[in-house]
Amino acid sequence: MEKSRPIPTFRRSLTQATIALLGATALGIAACGGGGGGSGDGTIGNERPLDSSQPASTSGQVTVFGAPLNAPWGLAFLPDGRMLVSEKGGSMAIVSSDGARVDTRLSGLPGNIDTSGQGGLLDVVYDGGWIYFTFSELGAGGSGTALARAQLNGNALQNVAVIWRQAPKVGGGIHYGSRIALAADGTLFLAVGERGVEANNGTSRGDGSAVQNSANSIGKVLRLNRDGSVPSGNPSFGANAAPGLWSLGHRNPQGAAVRPGSNELWITEHGPQGGDELNVPAAGANHG
C-alpha cells in the first residue's frame, strides 16, 4: 500500500466531477436525446438565484488516466490517495494514485447486477472505512437502483449489505439516476431516476409507478442515515409515503454534490433534448 497522503478537497472534487461527467455523458446520450417528455424546460427548477458572491473560477490540475478501465462510472478516493472506480459492467477497480494503472479489481460485489442498457455498477463513495455504492439490481418485476455498503479488506469487499432498494422494480434498462452525496450532518442523499416509467409529467398510472406518487421511489431524492435508516427532519409526504423521501418529480439525476460547509444538495438531471436541469431539491420540493 502506498504511503498515505492528504488530497486537497478541490482536487478531489474536480477529479470526481470530471470522471462523473465523462461517464454520465457517455451513458446518458440516449437519455438526453430520447423522446418521452420530461420535467425539463432548460431552466433551474424550484430554487433561488445563484450566489454571485462565490468565486467565478478556481484553478486546478487535470491528470489523464492511463489505467485500462472499462466504462468507468463513479470514482472515490481512498485515504492513501488511490482511487476506487466502479465499472459499468459490474466490477470495481482500485487505481493507483497517479492514475497510471489498475492495482486490483475487488471481489465480493453482488451477483445480481443488471448490466443491460444504462444499468450496471454505478456510483461509489468512500466514508471512514465504509464504501457505499449503487447498482441496478435484478429482482421480481425487472430491476431498480439499489444502495449497498461494504468494508474493504485487501482485495475484497466484506460485510456487503444492501441498505436501500428502489420500489417497484420495473422492466427496461434506462434512467437509474444513481448518485450518492454525503452530507455534513452524517446523513446521505441518494438521487434515483424514474426508470423511463413515464414522461415525468405526473400522469397517473394504474401500476403505481407514477413519478408524482409518493408511495414509490421512482424518480425521487432520498435522505437516509448511513445505515439505510430514515433520519429525523425529513419532510412528510403522507402516511403511505415511501421511507426516506426528500423530494419528488425527478427524471434522471446523474450528478449530485452537497455544497461545502452546508447540507444543501445540488443535482443535475438528464432531460429530453434541451431539457437538462440544475436543481437544488429542498425538503418536500416537487420538480415534476
Side-chain angles (χ1 to χ4, degrees), residues 6 8 42 55 69 87 91 103 114 129 140 144 146 148 151 193 205 210-211 222 224 239 256 258 282 286:
L69 295 169
E87 297 174 298
S91 57
D103 287 345
D114 182 3
Q151 292 174 303
R205 293 175 58 96
V211 173
L222 293 300
L224 304 168
V258 172
N286 187 338

Side-chain angles (χ1 to χ4, degrees), residues 71-182:
W73 209 100
L75 179 150
F77 281 96
L78 293 171
D80 61 5
R82 296 183 300 164
M83 291 157 276
L84 282 169
V85 179
S86 63
E87 297 174 298
K88 180 185 177 297
S91 57
M92 189 177 295
I94 295 183
V95 176
S96 60
S97 60
D98 60 3
R101 66 184 184 278
V102 173
D103 287 345
T104 188
R105 284 185 168 83
L106 303 178
S107 63
L109 286 162
N112 57 341
I113 300 176
D114 182 3
T115 60
S116 64
Q118 297 170 2
L121 186 61
L122 304 172
D123 203 13
V124 58
V125 300
Y126 178 86
D127 176 53
W130 287 101
I131 295 167
Y132 293 84
F133 61 93
T134 55
F135 64 100
S136 45
E137 181 186 50
L138 287 166
S143 61
T145 303
L147 170 66
R149 71 173 185 173
Q151 292 174 303
L152 180 63
N153 186 0
N155 297 336
L157 293 177
Q158 295 185 340
N159 301 317
V160 178
V162 175
I163 60 175
W164 181 88
R165 288 181 166 93
Q166 188 177 40
K169 287 181 167 61
V170 299
I174 64 172
H175 297 189
Y176 292 94
S178 203
R179 284 293 176 190
I180 308 163
L182 302 178

